């Protein structure tokens, strides 16, 4: 087990820069997830750590050792690829045992390790089969097993669950987390799936276009995304973005006015006519009026919210946080229902989650209450977070 440190790693392919300014240190034994959209450089970073790719510049350390010039097979890392490859002529058991055989580990230990790995990945009944007699998901688990059996210093996993069906994916994800807990091997896991990133990671590294956007633990990144890309990438359904113009102490969202909460106005000092992107997560939006009631979970039904809006009304601030929308799509998910709604006369869409028992149809008009205590403001051009303050 070892820590892994990247210092200003850059990789160019001819004149294309795939990754740059990549700097982070993963403490020994932690589980880190690299996440970002397709092409953002996740696999390139992982392959560079594995030694399958050479950094154009920068330093890479595994433990205390500078490994830029150490060949892949001497790095004591095990990698599971996006397109894993098993040895077709070997059985499942032989595939899992392969790395250990190469190292001339004692046969009895090999057998024990193969059995325990097979058990933890539900492969016991398949040990005598050849890869072509397995489903894609089973093959993927054998590839995982082969890496796990070696007990390397560092695990590098590149979308290892991508071929599994939804149920098996959830189960294997939980097994991986448990395995990591048991083995404590430093793990770097690549995915474009934000749910995998949130559920597995000690720390998440969010990447976009070859650059790090933010590093942090899942809850901090969710609560305090550094920019609009991170804000909309993590969370499902994603954060709503409402393009707005600042005018007369209000945000004008396509003709619909939202009064600016005093704490936001005090901090921001925006010039008149300034464009901004407002961000608000679906769980911070509520249906305003009966008969629809509030959205699903008990925490969203605190009477405080009702009292708040009543108070605003008494103070003549009834426009605070209210938005009228038309329902476009209704997606029941059982426990809750996802509503995609549109601002009348505009292309702006708002995602709202309501209780599973709320019956709505396309065309229904809704009054929404936005909990502006959870409002984000982003720079329209750079996407940087303007509010809440970055040091907050
Ligand atoms: N051998 C190569 N030659 C040229 N460009 C490359 C090469 N390998 C990767 N790239 C480019 O580098 C960028 C990063 O690629 P990379 O495979 O790291 O992305 P990724 O985040 O893993 O994407 P995905 O989620 O689709 O697997 C992409 O723009 C890709 O086209
Ligand atoms: Mg990739």
């Amino acid at each position: 087990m070892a820590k892994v440190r990247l210092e200003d790693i850059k990789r160019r392919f001819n004149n294309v820069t795939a990754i740059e300014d990549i700097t982070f240190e993963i403490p020994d034994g932690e589980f880190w997830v690299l996440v970002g959209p397709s092409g953002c450089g996740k696999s390139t970073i992982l392959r560079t750590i594995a030694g399958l790719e050479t950094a154009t510049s920068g330093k890479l350390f595994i433990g205390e050792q500078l490994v830029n010039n150490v060949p892949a097979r001497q790095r004591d890392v095990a990698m599971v690829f996006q397109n894993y490859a098993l040895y077709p002529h070997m059985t499942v058991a032989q595939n899992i045992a392969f790395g250990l055989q190469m190292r001339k580990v004692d046969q009895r230990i090999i057998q024990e390790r193969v059995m325990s790995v097979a058990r933890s990945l539900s492969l016991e009944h398949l040990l005598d089969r050849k890869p072509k007699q397995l489903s894609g998901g089973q093959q993927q688990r054998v590839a995982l097993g082969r890496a796990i059996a070696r007990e390397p210093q560092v695990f590098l996993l590149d979308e290892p669950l991508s071929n599994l069906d939804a149920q098996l994916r959830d189960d294997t994800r939980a097994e991986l987390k448990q395995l990591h807990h048991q083995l404590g091997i430093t793990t770097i896991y690549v995915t474009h799936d934000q749910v995998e990133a949130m559920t597995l990671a000690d720390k998440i590294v969010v990447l976009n276009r070859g650059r790090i956007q933010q590093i942090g633990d899942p809850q901090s990144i969710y609560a305090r995304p550094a920019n609009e890309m991170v804000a909309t990438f993590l969370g499902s359904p994603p954060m709503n973005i409402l393009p707005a113009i600042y005018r007369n102490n209000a945000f004008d969202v396509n003709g619909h006015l939202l009064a600016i909460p005093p704490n936001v106005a005090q901090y921001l000092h925006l010039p008149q006519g300034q464009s901004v992107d407002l961000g608000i997560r679906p769980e911070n939006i509520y249906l305003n009026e009966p008969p629809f009631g509030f959205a699903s979970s008990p925490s969203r039904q605190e009477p405080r919210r009702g009292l708040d809006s009543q108070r605003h009304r008494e103070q003549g601030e009834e426009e605070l946080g209210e938005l009228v929308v038309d329902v476009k799509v209704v997606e029941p998910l059982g426990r809750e229902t996802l509503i995609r709604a549109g601002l009348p006369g505009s292309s702006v869409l708002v995602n709202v989650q309501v209780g599973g028992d709320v019956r709505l149809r396309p065309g229904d008009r809704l009054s929404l209450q936005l909990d502006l205590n959870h409002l984000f403001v982003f720079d329209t051009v750079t996407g940087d977070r303007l509010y809440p303050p970055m040091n907050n």
Side-chain angles (χ1 to χ4, degrees):
M1 279 150 270
K3 66 182 178 188
V4 175
R5 185 157 95 244
L6 284 75
E7 276 180 22
D8 203 8
I9 294 282
K10 178 176 182 165
R11 175 65 165 122
R12 288 174 65 87
F13 296 102
N14 302 317
N15 50 7
V16 179
T17 302
I19 50 169
E20 62 186 324
D21 278 345
I22 305 295
T23 298
F24 54 78
E25 177 172 321
I26 305 179
D28 186 5
E30 288 201 358
F31 195 125
W32 279 39
V33 175
L34 310 182
V35 71
S38 183
C40 71
K42 306 179 293 292
S43 296
T44 305
I45 295 176
L46 212 65
R47 290 170 55 81
T48 305
I49 299 170
L52 305 171
E53 206 79 78
T54 314
T56 308
S57 63
K59 290 183 185 161
L60 170 67
F61 297 86
I62 296 179
E64 301 299 334
Q65 192 189 6
L66 179 69
V67 294
N68 286 53
N69 296 317
V70 175
R73 72 192 120 72
Q74 285 169 27
R75 289 193 188 185
D76 198 11
V77 300
M79 181 154 171
V80 177
F81 296 95
Q82 211 163 353
N83 300 309
Y84 53 86
L86 299 173
Y87 301 106
H89 57 287
M90 293 185 191
T91 64
V92 167
Q94 288 164 336
N95 265 286
I96 294 176
F98 184 77
L100 301 170
Q101 300 284 10
M102 294 300 283
R103 277 154 202 251
K104 311 225 180 315
V105 173
D106 184 87
Q107 286 305 323
R108 200 174 44 80
I109 294 178
I110 292 182
Q111 230 172 24
E112 276 170 20
R113 190 116 24 109
V114 168
M115 277 316 292
S116 101
V117 167
R119 251 196 312 277
S120 59
L121 291 170
S122 312
L123 292 167
E124 306 110 299
H125 60 298
L126 303 172
L127 284 169
D128 295 329
R129 292 212 200 157
K130 299 271 174 64
K132 67 172 188 307
Q133 298 166 310
L134 303 175
S135 73
Q138 291 165 338
Q139 289 181 33
Q140 199 153 34
R141 279 180 290 145
V142 176
L144 267 177
R146 190 172 56 182
I148 291 166
R150 271 185 51 196
E151 299 193 0
Q153 298 252 32
V154 180
F155 269 140
L156 305 173
L157 307 177
D158 194 340
E159 313 236 9
L161 308 184
S162 54
N163 282 358
L164 307 185
D165 67 37
Q167 181 64 49
L168 202 52
R169 199 180 169 118
D170 289 358
D171 293 349
T172 314
R173 193 179 72 206
E175 275 158 15
L176 259 182
K177 191 160 183 170
Q178 204 180 356
L179 266 170
H180 177 257
H181 195 69
Q182 278 167 20
L183 303 174
I185 294 176
T186 313
T187 303
I188 312 175
Y189 185 104
V190 159
T191 180
H192 60 267
D193 179 340
Q194 54 95 21
V195 176
E196 275 176 24
M198 294 288 289
T199 51
L200 284 170
D202 289 318
K203 288 266 170 65
I204 295 178
V205 181
V206 186
L207 295 154
N208 196 27
R209 299 188 185 157
R211 285 175 173 272
I212 294 175
Q213 305 296 307
Q214 191 169 7
I215 300 179
D217 65 86
Q219 282 94 342
S220 311
I221 293 195
Y222 188 81
R224 287 283 182 269
N227 60 40
E228 197 172 319
M229 182 268 157
V230 177
T232 50
F233 194 78
L234 294 180
S236 175
M239 182 185 287
N240 291 296
I241 298 294
L242 308 172
I245 296 169
Y246 174 72
R247 267 194 207 106
N248 305 329
N249 231 17
F251 287 123
D252 180 342
V253 184
N254 222 284
H256 308 258
L257 294 184
L258 289 175
I260 303 190
N263 51 340
V264 180
Q266 265 166 23
Y267 178 78
L268 274 180
H269 302 298
L270 293 170
Q272 291 287 331
Q274 172 79 48
S275 297
V276 291
D277 283 346
L278 305 180
I280 186 139
R281 293 202 183 275
E283 63 265 36
N284 301 127
I285 301 180
Y286 313 92
L287 295 185
N288 226 347
E289 302 296 340
F292 306 123
F294 291 100
S296 59
S297 74
S299 65
R300 294 181 201 160
Q301 295 174 3
E302 296 159 25
R304 187 180 60 76
R305 296 187 199 293
L307 294 176
D308 262 3
S309 58
Q310 193 180 350
R311 196 188 69 230
H312 295 315
R313 247 172 238 131
E314 283 160 8
Q315 293 170 350
E317 293 179 67
E318 65 268 24
E319 77 277 66
L320 180 70
E322 286 186 10
L323 214 52
V324 172
V325 295
D326 292 329
V327 174
K328 301 245 183 251
V329 182
V330 178
E331 296 174 287
L333 296 169
R335 193 167 66 90
E336 54 198 12
T337 296
L338 177 59
I339 307 291
R340 294 172 197 267
L343 241 53
S346 95
S347 59
V348 177
L349 285 178
V350 185
N351 287 329
V352 192
Q353 280 171 299
V354 298
D357 52 344
V358 175
R359 302 283 162 152
L360 289 169
R361 288 198 315 206
D364 287 349
R365 179 153 288 194
L366 299 177
S367 163
L368 302 178
Q369 181 85 24
L370 278 52
D371 183 350
L372 297 181
N373 291 318
H374 296 278
L375 183 72
F376 290 87
V377 183
F378 300 104
D379 186 305
T380 307
V381 179
T382 63
D384 290 344
R385 193 178 89 207
L386 303 176
Y387 189 87
M390 283 302 281
N391 56 6
N392 189 334

